[in-house]
Amino acid sequence: MIESGKNTSTQAIHRRRPLSLTARVTIFVALAIGLSLLSIGYLVQSEVHRHFVEQDAEELQVMTQAIESVLSEYIGQRAELSEALSRAISGHHGVYFEVRDQQGEILYSTFNSGLSAKVDVYFQVQGTLTDNIQIWQVGDATYRGMSNVIAVRGHDFRVATAIDMGFHLSFLASFRHSLWLIMTLAGGITIFAAWLGVRQGHAPVQDLSQSLRNVQADHLSERLDPASVPRELQNLVESFNLMLGRLEDSFTRLTHFSADIAHELRTPLTNIITQTQVGLSKARCEDEYRELLYSNLEEQERLAKMVNDMLWLAKTDHGLQKPEIEWLDLAGEAREILEFFEALAEEKHIQLLLEGDAPSVRGDRAMLRRAVSNLLSNAIRYTAPGQQITVQLATAANEEVTLSVQNPGPKIPAEQRTKLFDRFYRADPSRARQSEGAGLGLAIVKSIIEAHGGRVLVSSDHEGTQFTLILPQQRS
């Protein structure tokens, strides 16, 4: 039953699969060509049919005029009239006529009995001759005829003329067959050419797809050449190259991040294992075991802090760590943070100074305090005793609030400043093992400020280094 359900689902997916681009374009071209050819065929047939109608009408009119001329000349001469009427339309083939007097007596007729019976003579004094054209069917023969009343010297004559349409109908049938055969062949050739053209037009797409299949995770440095594809695909290739660049950068960062995690976790774990092995190597007193446990606890706390920081960054990257927005007095928050770090600064003989003022901002109190605390902790760690750290508040001209933390120290090269906010990165690797941090503090600062819609800037010269937090100012 499960296998049957799976097969049914697979079949449903196949049924819902959309048509290919080649099929769509070919169907559209086929419909357009079909409608065009049908319209052309109909118009051509109508035009040929109209031409035969006009030709027959003209022929019938000429016959009627010839008969009228004979009647005018031989009226009252019945014996000569019949002979004259027999010569009236000589030279015409497949034509027939019948002349009756006003009492309905036939004066002359080339009609057969069936055609005579079909003639419906009625009076028509005004109007063109073509208004009186009719189609008469006698057995297997078809005639186009016309009946009129002709007044000659006060006498009315009923004249009916007809033309055998056999040749016309045969020609029209043959013409219709040839026309639709030509139309069908032309349509088929055109649709095939369109299909072939679409296939050839999609060839660069197929080549591009094959090139994309060759891109592997270990060959992300490869790039496609936009000049080798048609103009319509150049934007696609350039976009794909940009995507490859971002993927390559992300893979590189992920690789380094994984290596850094392993490196950072290995040191405290190695310390814990080594200290535990040393402690178990021989019997020790209670104080020695207590000291060993304290040492292991420090390493474990360091591990816990590192794991918590990594989890916090992961949640922030995936939008799971949302700021709890409220109005904050940024100056008051900065003073409280400085008071918290005052004891640590005095222990290292470092002076903390707060300058400037700033309006209230909307933000998450805990997150913003953590960002400023990370900057102050980092500044204290790399500031020599007897120096001064300055925290400055200001309002920028574009209605942005800034908080800067400046500490003296050696200049950080430009190539290192671009990496300061990378995870596990330290501008001074020599202090990596002496530092309490794991290289995640500045990465957390950047995530917090960007979550508030702001940005972080860093500048460094021979006088010191300055980190600036820029937050948007929202009016209450």
Side-chain angles (χ1 to χ4, degrees):
M1 293 295 291
I2 296 177
E3 186 66 26
S4 175
K6 185 189 289 187
N7 293 335
T8 303
S9 176
T10 304
Q11 293 173 0
I13 292 175
H14 285 303
R15 284 197 299 269
R16 291 194 299 268
R17 180 175 296 171
L19 289 174
S20 65
L21 294 178
T22 302
R24 294 184 185 187
V25 176
T26 303
I27 291 174
F28 175 79
V29 172
L31 290 175
I33 292 175
L35 291 175
S36 300
L37 292 179
L38 286 174
S39 301
I40 293 172
Y42 175 77
L43 292 175
V44 170
Q45 282 192 172
S46 299
E47 189 64 23
V48 173
H49 182 267
R50 187 180 65 82
H51 169 73
F52 281 130
V53 171
E54 292 178 353
Q55 184 180 14
D56 291 346
E58 184 178 353
E59 185 78 10
L60 293 172
Q61 183 179 0
V62 171
M63 291 170 57
T64 303
Q65 290 174 351
I67 294 171
E68 183 180 3
S69 177
V70 171
L71 290 175
S72 299
E73 183 177 354
Y74 291 95
I75 190 172
Q77 306 176 27
R78 186 155 188 150
E80 292 81 358
L81 178 61
S82 179
E83 180 65 22
L85 287 174
S86 65
R87 299 191 304 268
I89 55 173
S90 61
H92 295 268
H93 301 285
V95 295
Y96 308 91
F97 71 94
E98 184 178 87
V99 181
R100 300 186 185 189
D101 59 17
Q102 57 186 358
Q103 285 77 28
E105 182 181 352
I106 298 177
L107 301 179
Y108 185 84
S109 176
T110 61
F111 285 177
N112 55 39
S113 58
L115 189 57
S116 295
K118 284 284 185 179
V119 175
D120 183 18
V121 181
Y122 59 91
F123 294 92
Q124 181 175 328
V125 179
Q126 296 180 346
T128 62
L129 293 174
T130 57
D131 293 334
N132 203 22
I133 295 179
Q134 305 173 37
I135 301 295
W136 296 323
Q137 186 74 36
V138 179
D140 296 333
T142 303
Y143 301 88
R144 181 175 281 118
M146 181 173 61
S147 58
N148 286 282
V149 176
I150 299 176
V152 178
R153 298 180 189 180
H155 297 276
D156 293 334
F157 297 91
R158 300 177 183 180
V159 178
T161 55
I163 296 178
D164 189 353
M165 294 177 60
F167 173 77
H168 293 172
L169 295 177
S170 176
F171 174 82
L172 286 174
S174 176
F175 177 78
R176 186 183 304 109
H177 179 269
S178 300
L179 176 64
W180 290 117
L181 179 61
I182 294 173
M183 291 292 187
T184 303
L185 291 176
I189 293 173
T190 307
I191 293 172
F192 176 75
W195 174 82
L196 189 61
V198 173
R199 291 274 297 181
Q200 292 297 322
H202 285 167
V205 179
Q206 299 292 336
D207 296 339
L208 181 60
S209 300
Q210 185 61 40
S211 300
L212 298 183
R213 290 192 187 97
N214 296 332
V215 177
Q216 303 294 333
D218 54 345
H219 292 88
L220 291 177
S221 59
E222 294 184 4
R223 296 294 183 271
L224 302 179
D225 183 12
S228 64
V229 298
R231 183 182 306 171
E232 293 81 1
L233 298 178
Q234 287 181 357
N235 288 336
L236 175 63
V237 171
E238 292 173 356
S239 300
F240 182 77
N241 286 338
L242 289 176
M243 183 189 70
L244 278 181
R246 291 193 293 267
L247 285 176
E248 183 182 14
D249 182 67
S250 299
F251 268 75
T252 302
R253 290 175 179 269
L254 182 61
T255 302
H256 293 168
F257 182 60
S258 301
D260 291 337
I261 288 178
H263 180 74
E264 294 295 334
L265 294 177
R266 181 181 62 183
T267 301
L269 287 174
T270 301
N271 292 340
I272 293 174
I273 293 172
T274 302
Q275 292 174 7
T276 304
Q277 288 175 342
V278 171
L280 295 176
S281 61
K282 63 178 183 178
R284 301 178 183 277
C285 64
E286 182 179 345
D287 292 337
E288 290 176 336
Y289 281 123
R290 183 179 291 108
E291 183 179 353
L292 175 62
L293 291 176
Y294 276 124
S295 178
N296 286 348
L297 179 60
E298 290 178 0
E299 296 295 340
Q300 291 166 359
E301 290 176 343
R302 180 181 175 186
L303 280 174
K305 183 178 183 302
M306 188 185 307
V307 171
N308 289 334
D309 288 344
M310 287 189 295
L311 288 176
W312 192 93
L313 286 172
K315 290 182 179 180
T316 304
D317 290 343
H318 291 83
L320 302 177
Q321 194 75 26
K322 299 294 184 181
E324 297 181 2
I325 302 300
E326 60 179 314
W327 284 104
L328 300 175
D329 179 8
L330 193 59
E333 298 295 330
R335 280 192 293 269
E336 292 184 11
I337 294 172
L338 287 178
E339 291 176 359
F340 177 79
F341 281 92
E342 188 68 34
L344 178 60
E346 289 181 356
E347 181 181 344
K348 294 190 174 184
H349 306 287
I350 297 173
Q351 182 181 1
L352 302 179
L353 181 63
L354 177 63
E355 296 180 350
D357 197 5
S360 298
V361 297
R362 286 179 59 81
D364 187 298
R365 183 188 305 273
M367 293 176 70
L368 289 179
R369 282 195 171 196
R370 184 174 187 178
V372 177
S373 298
N374 284 355
L375 291 182
L376 275 175
S377 175
N378 190 67
I380 293 174
R381 185 178 301 120
Y382 294 109
T383 299
Q387 301 291 327
Q388 175 181 291
I389 298 174
T390 303
V391 177
Q392 188 172 23
L393 300 173
T395 303
N398 55 352
E399 295 188 350
E400 290 179 328
V401 180
T402 63
L403 186 151
S404 302
V405 178
Q406 181 178 7
N407 66 284
K411 179 182 179 180
I412 301 177
E415 62 272 11
Q416 292 186 357
R417 289 202 296 269
T418 59
K419 302 178 181 179
L420 286 178
F421 298 99
D422 292 348
R423 299 170 188 182
F424 298 111
Y425 180 80
R426 294 184 178 85
D428 186 3
S430 64
R431 299 189 180 185
R433 299 278 65 84
Q434 300 174 5
S435 172
E436 296 178 358
L440 295 174
L442 293 180
I444 292 175
V445 171
K446 182 181 179 182
S447 296
I448 290 174
I449 300 305
E450 289 181 348
H452 285 76
R455 59 190 188 279
V456 184
L457 301 179
V458 58
S459 60
S460 183
D461 52 26
H462 295 288
E463 296 181 358
T465 301
Q466 176 175 297
F467 289 89
T468 303
L469 307 182
I470 302 176
L471 295 170
Q473 179 183 354
Q474 302 181 20
R475 300 189 179 279
S476 59

